[in-house]
């Protein structure tokens, strides 16, 4: 069962009005060891813009997206 990213983050982080700030601050903790391979470039409304350092990770993230 798929849930929207906003739903998951709101449930995990807490207050809906500050989930973006918390996400930016805790990004390395949230993604764990993957933070060395990708970074959070921008949060735009309900969309995350993620940058990757290798094209293979770009392909992997694309395959995981719905």
């Amino acid at each position: 069962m798929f849930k929207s990213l906003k739903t998951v983050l709101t449930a995990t982080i807490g207050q809906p009005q500050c989930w973006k700030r918390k996400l930016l601050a805790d990004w390395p903790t949230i993604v764990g060891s993957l933070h060395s391979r990708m970074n959070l470039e921008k949060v735009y409304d309900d969309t995350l813009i993620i940058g990757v350092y290798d094209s293979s990770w770009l392909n992997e993230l694309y395959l995981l997206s719905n």
Side-chain angles (χ1 to χ4, degrees):
M1 180 171 95
F2 289 100
K3 295 180 182 179
S4 72
L5 181 60
K6 183 178 180 182
T7 304
V8 171
L9 289 174
T10 302
T12 304
I13 294 173
Q15 301 172 340
Q17 64 270 23
C18 69
W19 70 268
K20 292 177 186 179
R21 188 175 338 132
K22 182 87 167 146
L23 176 66
L24 289 170
D26 293 342
W27 180 251
T29 304
I30 292 168
V31 296
S33 63
L34 290 178
H35 91 274
S36 65
R37 295 178 179 93
M38 64 184 196
N39 62 334
L40 183 59
E41 297 287 333
K42 185 176 182 180
V43 179
Y44 182 72
D45 292 331
D46 295 340
T47 304
L48 299 181
I49 307 298
I50 299 172
V52 295
Y53 301 115
D54 189 343
S55 61
S56 61
W57 281 101
L58 176 65
N59 189 45
E60 185 71 23
L61 290 175
Y62 176 75
L63 293 173
L64 291 172
S65 66
N66 56 3

